Amino acid sequence: MNQYNQNHNSGLIQKAVVESFKKLNPLTMMKNPVMFVVEVGTLLVLLMILAPSLFQSEAALGYNVSVFIILLFTILFANFAEALAEGRGKAQADSLKKTKKGTQAKKWLKNGTVKTISSDELRKGDIVLVETGDLVPGDGEIIEGLASIDESAITGESAPVIKESGGDFSSVTGGTKVVSDWIKVRITADPGESFLDKMIALVEGAKRQKTPNEIALNILLVTLTIIFLLVVVTLVPIAKYVGIDLEISTLIALLVCLIPTTIGALLSAIGIAGMDRVTRFNVLAMSGKAVEAAGDINTIILDKTGTITFGNRLAAEFIPVGDVSQREVTEMAVVTSLFDETPEGRSVLKLAKKQRITWNSAHYEKAEIIPFTAEERMSGLNVNGTIFRKGAVDSIRKFIESKGGIVPGDLKNKSDEIARKGGTPLAVSVDNKILGLIYLKDTVKPGIRERFEELRKMGIKTIMCTGDNPLTAATIAQEAGVDDFIAESTPEDKIRVIRVEQEKGKLVAMTGDGTNDAPALAQADVGLAMNSGTAAAKEAANMVDLDSDPTKIIEVVAIGKQLLMTRGSLTTFSIANDIAKYFAIIPAMFTVAIPQMEALNIMGLDSPTSAILSALIFNAIIIPLLIPLAMKGVKYVPMSANKLLSRNILIYGLGGIFVPFIGIKAIDMIVGMVM
């Protein structure tokens, strides 16, 4: 494996070197204004070497050649950084493209027959049959059947997942493989618009757009470049006034050293690497803006089930109320769960079997099934005029009261007791009578409290949304350590809380996987949809988690903050660099005519020529030295914004001042010996 990684990295480096030269094209360089100025300066020095009479240059040929070579390598190092970042994305895209090749589709025709065609011929709305061993030919939703699907080509996870029609786990992705059983899939994307197509385009950088923060920083860099250009131009008449004729090559060297070439060279690579880090974390960001927004998040909306808790709420006990026996409430709980395919429903039947309760499902085959809805918050059966219901306690209570029934006096106390234990009570009723409660247990994930504490250190507020009653929600919220919670929440509640936070000027993130989560995912600044969820959720979100792990939003926020911190740290370092270069070059340019300027030569550099060349060499080699940091990112430690700013100024501000003093002095000693 190590040998593979070495060969893989070696291939990327070779391709990046070739791309570095290709990117010398001025039309390409114009996209990076700072480095374009460096390239123009390099071409001017080259012209001075080839036609010195045109410039009336008196500088030694060797000096001009040295300046040209150093400037050329400065540009190549900058191009190499960008090419290396792009190369990593393209390598990942190439492996994904292999997934697409040669996929056949079994199109289901209207007459009930199957026709084998190429997946490229499929269109939105077509229905395909996918059997054991077949690749899913395109993105779609299962409309019939159940199958075990290998999603390793997309997610990297070897364990197959179960997908079936209906619910929030009916979405399938083109390129995945059915390993058992069969499914009928309705295609939801035309060729070229599938999830895999979007993923390929994004990871290879084909559709990467500069983010608002990156655009703002580019404007700052261009402004600084223009200011320093004006400074250098005004130095010419000032120098002539004191009797110094400054060489054009020296002025170009000064300009290149003073403009923020370091961050200008690495800015694009930092942005690409930021998206790449998210992708390598098995999260597909639909844009660089989404990653950047994650770094500025103030509030995170989290579902309780599956995110804060394991989500496997299972029946633990049947509790009668009023004058009902335990056997009677157990039998009625079974009836309400016969056609409930949720884990909770199946757990009711499993617990009843353990208690040696038997039943005949055939008696209820003609029953009217009442499915669970987020609005009604209950489900059940209507059998020959008898109404069986199971659901949230308050929903069942209101339902019974509307039928003229009487609510048992001990219902509230017993449901509150379950809630205080952190469980979820479900009420069971027949016609207008409540028989008892089903005690559902859920467990908070270990370590989740510590993760929320990290978010709190970042200044991020966490809000838990749950359909549970207030007592249960409060117990789980306290155990998990969230800042706030919303009990008995509906999809509308999620949108409302997102809008309330946004109206306060905050950026909001949330996770979701169902169709009912789609509006909230679209409203949030960062919407993280689960790959196992519905197509509607994935379309509404601006990020998709290929592993379908809702808690990953916490890591996404950390990656976003790392991206912003890396950009800020290297910008601070780059601008601080200019101070040391100023003390190297300015004295070298004026000391001969103005001996007093020697006082500024605090580094004790060997000669004016070696000082200029040393500063220029340092300016060039610092770029490749910082490439690993730009690609990997600055290590993020959760802390407040003020502490983070102070830490960055201390490390990268002061470091940016002192490192060039040491580096330029060391290079000057070598240059002095060579000269």
Side-chain angles (χ1 to χ4, degrees), residues 551-573:
T551 62
K552 200 178 283 186
I553 187 69
I554 299 171
E555 276 81 10
V556 169
V557 168
I559 291 171
K561 286 191 176 294
Q562 184 185 37
L563 168 64
L564 295 176
M565 201 172 91
T566 301
R567 191 180 290 154
S569 299
L570 292 184
T571 301
T572 304
F573 184 87

Side-chain angles (χ1 to χ4, degrees), residues 268-556:
S268 183
I270 292 169
I272 296 170
M275 284 191 69
D276 183 59
R277 277 196 297 277
V278 174
T279 305
R280 288 172 184 272
F281 205 70
N282 261 12
V283 173
L284 177 61
M286 299 306 181
S287 68
K289 185 179 179 181
V291 182
E292 195 171 277
D296 285 327
I297 287 301
N298 306 109
T299 306
I300 298 182
I301 312 295
L302 298 141
D303 276 330
K304 185 203 81 171
T305 307
T307 304
I308 294 171
T309 64
F310 281 108
N312 51 344
R313 299 186 307 169
L314 305 178
E317 189 180 354
F318 300 111
I319 302 171
V321 293
D323 57 355
V324 179
S325 68
Q326 183 169 8
R327 184 177 183 86
E328 188 178 357
V329 68
T330 303
E331 289 175 344
M332 293 306 101
V334 167
V335 174
T336 61
S337 303
L338 285 175
F339 303 99
D340 183 355
E341 292 302 316
T342 64
E344 293 90 343
R346 289 193 288 265
S347 73
V348 169
L349 302 184
K350 188 175 180 180
L351 180 62
K353 281 183 179 178
K354 282 185 179 179
Q355 297 180 1
R356 298 182 180 179
I357 300 295
T358 58
W359 60 88
N360 188 349
S361 300
H363 292 163
Y364 306 96
E365 284 182 353
K366 295 182 180 180
E368 179 190 358
I369 300 171
I370 308 299
F372 177 87
T373 64
E375 289 72 29
E376 297 293 333
R377 296 171 61 234
M378 59 182 170
S379 60
L381 302 175
N382 293 337
V383 185
N384 298 324
T386 304
I387 302 171
F388 299 90
R389 290 291 184 272
K390 169 186 72 178
V393 175
D394 63 319
S395 297
I396 294 293
R397 178 177 54 77
K398 290 176 183 176
F399 180 73
I400 292 301
E401 287 175 345
S402 69
K403 297 286 184 183
I406 298 174
V407 177
D410 57 348
L411 176 68
K412 187 177 186 306
N413 288 337
K414 289 186 176 181
S415 63
D416 286 352
E417 180 61 28
I418 292 173
R420 275 191 289 271
K421 293 177 182 178
T424 301
L426 291 183
V428 177
S429 68
V430 177
D431 290 329
N432 63 350
K433 183 178 182 181
I434 297 178
L435 305 181
L437 300 165
I438 303 171
Y439 175 13
L440 298 179
K441 271 188 178 180
D442 201 354
T443 309
V444 172
K445 291 182 177 179
I448 199 76
R449 189 180 186 89
E450 290 73 19
R451 300 184 83 177
F452 289 147
E453 184 59 37
E454 284 184 17
L455 290 173
R456 201 168 289 113
K457 288 178 182 176
M458 299 179 197
I460 297 173
K461 179 182 178 182
T462 51
I463 300 176
M464 179 185 79
C465 284
T466 175
D468 292 334
N469 65 65
L471 275 173
T472 302
T475 303
I476 296 294
Q478 184 177 9
E479 187 178 347
V482 294
D483 297 309
D484 200 358
F485 68 89
I486 300 172
E488 299 175 346
S489 69
T490 63
E492 290 75 20
D493 289 329
K494 292 178 183 178
I495 295 178
R496 179 182 54 79
V497 72
I498 290 171
R499 286 176 177 165
V500 167
E501 291 294 310
Q502 287 173 335
E503 285 169 3
K504 296 176 184 176
K506 297 180 179 180
L507 295 184
V508 184
M510 81 155 285
T511 62
D513 58 9
T515 300
N516 62 345
D517 291 325
L521 286 168
Q523 179 69 37
D525 299 285
V526 175
L528 180 65
M530 303 299 104
N531 188 42
S532 61
T534 62
K538 288 191 279 189
E539 284 294 324
N542 52 19
M543 286 189 179
V544 178
D545 175 21
L546 303 179
D547 295 328
S548 300
D549 176 9
T551 62
K552 200 178 283 186
I553 187 69
I554 299 171
E555 276 81 10
V556 169

Side-chain angles (χ1 to χ4, degrees), residues 579-602:
I579 297 173
K581 296 171 196 170
Y582 171 87
F583 280 102
I585 295 182
I586 296 298
M589 292 170 65
F590 292 97
T591 299
V592 175
I594 310 173
Q596 292 85 350
M597 293 287 286
E598 181 63 29
L600 293 176
N601 185 17
I602 58 179

